[in-house]
Amino acid sequence: MTEDPITPRPRDPLRGTPGAGPGPGPHRAPTPHVLLAPDKFKGSLDAAAVARHLAAGLRRARPGLSVTGLPVADGGEGTVDALVHSGFRRRVVTVGGPTGRTVRACYAQRGSTAVLELAQSSGLSLLPDHVPAPLTASSRGAGEVVRAALDGGARTIVLGLGGSACTDGGAGLLAALGARFTDVYGRMPADGGAALRHLAEVDLSGLDARLAATDLVLATDVDAPLSGPGGAAFLYAPQKGAGPAEVGVLEAGLSRRLDVLARAVGPRAAHAATLPGAGAAGGTAFGALACLRARRRPGVEVVLEAVGIDRELYRATLVITGEGAMDAQTLQGKTPLGVARRAHLHRVPVIAVCGRLTLTPEQLSTAGFRAAYPLTTLEPDPRRSMTTAAALLRATGRTIARNHLAGTLPPPAIPGNRNRGPGRAGRTER
């Protein structure tokens, strides 16, 4: 018997039906069948590894247990890996990173559907020597990946927004796709959010003609507008290294960009700027909404449909999901909550596993989790918990098998939760 029972299966891209499912039916397995649908444990293990180690622990306690691993994500980092595991093909392209230095970016494709992560081309993790560049970082690389996907035959493109290094309102993205921005002297400004203050004109006539026949979906859980106190600059630029003065510069640039685009596309620009999520990825979402007629969807919904979770839930008797930290942000639409909501449509109980837990028992119960197992219960030291996560997940899998697969599921519980206080209210662009 192997302890690595996770086997990828082909999936049809984006075929799920939001908010619907067959519910329990005659095909539901009479014996336990566990669906593992975790997100990554950031800084520790990717989603596939989390599922693999949980499966090993479950089967150590219950030899022969039927288990399916389905790594998932919410549109941010790890999305491409999750889709590749589910049957999409990984494609690698060379593009300009957030500061122009060449980087290798991956995207996932199946048929005419391509799924991209902006973080792979314009992300914080790609900054040279990890030195912040809040004023000059650009989304141009993301546009180059979109163009590569078009060259590869994609006609539905999902762009996951999160983890960006830039606050350029999507100017780099659009420039890579053929838009032309100029200052009062007819020159093309430098890349980055600071240069937006000098924009005078934009010419969209050169945009790649294939975009008109492309369904561009923005996958994000961020609901911030483009500008203002809750917008891209004030809310997220400090996370990218911007001080108070730099935040002011970036806010002025985004305002100028809105004015220039309004002259080019009319009221659509002003409307796009106020839409929830327009501020995602430093306003990249705004540029796509205003100029490319993109549409926004919650990232976790897009991913769950793409990996075919409804088909797996149809035969599952228990779902285990989770992520590295389950806190207040989890309840605002992160992966575990998305999985739980989908599972409830099929009336399948859900258990969460996480590295760190700050949600109260009441919050977990209201969100629909039967139980939650933080790894800090087994290893209170956060650093050691991260470095030994594989062993801790296997141990947790054994515990879950003993507690939840021997008979009737118990009432909601949070085994060993050492921190029952509410999570932080702050959000990160992830």
Side-chain angles (χ1 to χ4, degrees), residues 372-390:
Y373 289 80
L375 300 189
T376 50
T377 298
L378 302 176
E379 175 49 71
D381 180 79
R383 186 182 298 273
R384 283 185 55 81
S385 180
M386 292 182 68
T387 58
T388 62

Side-chain angles (χ1 to χ4, degrees), residues 156-182:
T156 296
I157 296 179
V158 178
L159 179 57
L161 302 178
S164 71
C166 54
T167 310
D168 70 348
L173 172 85
L174 294 173
L177 294 171
R180 178 178 172 81
F181 297 92
T182 53

Side-chain angles (χ1 to χ4, degrees), residues 330-356:
T330 302
L331 304 182
Q332 296 172 356
K334 304 304 292 182
T335 298
L337 184 65
V339 172
R341 286 174 172 171
R342 207 74 172 215
H344 292 161
L345 295 175
H346 297 258
R347 299 175 217 160
V348 184
V350 183
I351 290 173
V353 176
C354 56
R356 176 176 58 86

Side-chain angles (χ1 to χ4, degrees), residues 132-426:
L135 299 181
T136 58
S138 168
S139 61
R140 183 180 292 270
E144 293 174 351
V145 181
V146 171
R147 195 173 63 225
L150 291 171
D151 292 342
R155 292 300 173 262
T156 296
I157 296 179
V158 178
L159 179 57
L161 302 178
S164 71
C166 54
T167 310
D168 70 348
L173 172 85
L174 294 173
L177 294 171
R180 178 178 172 81
F181 297 92
T182 53
D183 61 18
V184 293
Y185 301 104
R187 301 173 303 195
M188 297 181 65
D191 282 346
L196 297 178
R197 296 171 300 164
H198 308 300
L199 289 182
E201 300 290 339
V202 58
D203 180 2
L204 301 177
S205 64
L207 281 174
D208 194 312
R210 295 172 294 181
L211 291 166
T214 300
D215 183 17
L216 180 59
V217 181
L218 307 178
T220 177
D221 68 323
V222 169
D223 56 9
L226 176 66
S227 56
F234 282 100
L235 199 58
Y236 299 123
Q239 301 170 10
K240 306 172 188 184
E246 292 169 311
V247 167
V249 168
L250 294 169
E251 176 71 6
L254 291 175
S255 296
R256 180 63 177 170
R257 173 154 168 68
L258 173 58
D259 292 342
V260 171
L261 272 184
R263 293 199 299 270
V265 301
R268 188 166 79 242
H271 175 67
T274 62
L275 290 175
T284 300
F286 162 71
L289 290 166
C291 302
L292 304 180
R293 298 186 182 275
R295 56 192 178 97
R296 171 188 176 253
R297 291 192 60 201
V300 66
E301 289 185 8
V302 174
V303 175
L304 293 181
E305 291 171 16
V307 301
I309 196 169
D310 284 316
R311 286 187 293 276
E312 300 297 344
L313 285 168
Y314 190 45
R315 64 193 186 101
T317 56
L318 176 67
V319 176
I320 302 176
T321 185
E323 61 182 343
M326 288 187 62
D327 52 25
Q329 290 191 53
T330 302
L331 304 182
Q332 296 172 356
K334 304 304 292 182
T335 298
L337 184 65
V339 172
R341 286 174 172 171
R342 207 74 172 215
H344 292 161
L345 295 175
H346 297 258
R347 299 175 217 160
V348 184
V350 183
I351 290 173
V353 176
C354 56
R356 176 176 58 86
L357 177 67
T358 60
L359 298 175
T360 67
E362 292 76 17
Q363 287 174 312
L364 286 164
S365 180
T366 299
F369 296 102
R370 181 80 59 156
Y373 289 80
L375 300 189
T376 50
T377 298
L378 302 176
E379 175 49 71
D381 180 79
R383 186 182 298 273
R384 283 185 55 81
S385 180
M386 292 182 68
T387 58
T388 62
L392 297 176
L393 285 166
R394 291 194 294 270
T396 300
R398 293 194 296 271
T399 300
I400 291 173
R402 289 193 296 267
N403 290 352
H404 300 280
L405 297 176
T408 304
L409 289 170
I414 301 87
N417 182 16
R418 297 171 182 270
N419 185 348
R420 296 175 181 264
R424 293 173 297 173

